Amino acid sequence: MNISLKKARIIIRKALEAGAAAEMKPLSVVVVDAGGHVIAFERSDGASPGRFDVALGKAYGCVMLGMTGSAQRDRAEAQAYFVGAMNGLFGGRFVPVPGGVLVRGKDGAVIGAVGVTGDSSENDAVAALAGIDAAGFVGEA
């Protein structure tokens, strides 16, 4: 099972709608496949242009390590050397904080990840989960 472009667009639209409904700051949302490749990205009006890299870093870390953003944060707090080493291996391409959410198919396999940035990391994760749920997938934050 893969995340189609149609489903990625649903994830993004619903995540942005959830953020707006909760009066979050302008969000940016990226959806990646199981290899960390971008399927789709969108940035709300007013979101800073650097948010693409932050959103991608959140999602990329999830798929590369098979860990949620919150699990990466917890691991960084307990074993900073591990996260530092892993980020070095991946060229500094991941951001180990909430807002990176694994996407699982109905069989439980990881099929990609969503990265949301713009508000608090915890709110970013809430918006990501709303989008993932709306697309019919299971999110793990």
Side-chain angles (χ1 to χ4, degrees), residues 24-117:
M24 293 181 194
K25 295 176 184 171
L27 299 179
S28 296
V29 184
V30 70
V31 179
V32 301
D33 65 18
H37 303 101
V38 175
I39 300 169
F41 169 77
E42 195 166 321
R43 180 169 58 95
S44 296
D45 291 340
S48 65
R51 292 293 179 170
F52 170 77
D53 292 319
V54 177
L56 180 57
K58 288 182 176 189
Y60 187 80
C62 287
V63 294
M64 289 299 111
L65 296 177
M67 299 171 68
T68 65
S70 58
Q72 292 174 58
R73 177 207 51 212
D74 295 347
R75 186 78 181 261
E77 289 173 357
Q79 296 177 311
Y81 63 88
F82 171 80
V83 172
M86 293 303 101
N87 213 2
L89 285 174
F90 295 117
R93 292 179 57 195
F94 74 87
V95 179
V97 296
V101 179
L102 288 170
V103 180
R104 294 185 182 274
K106 295 185 189 300
D107 63 356
V110 173
I111 58 172
V114 174
V116 177
T117 183

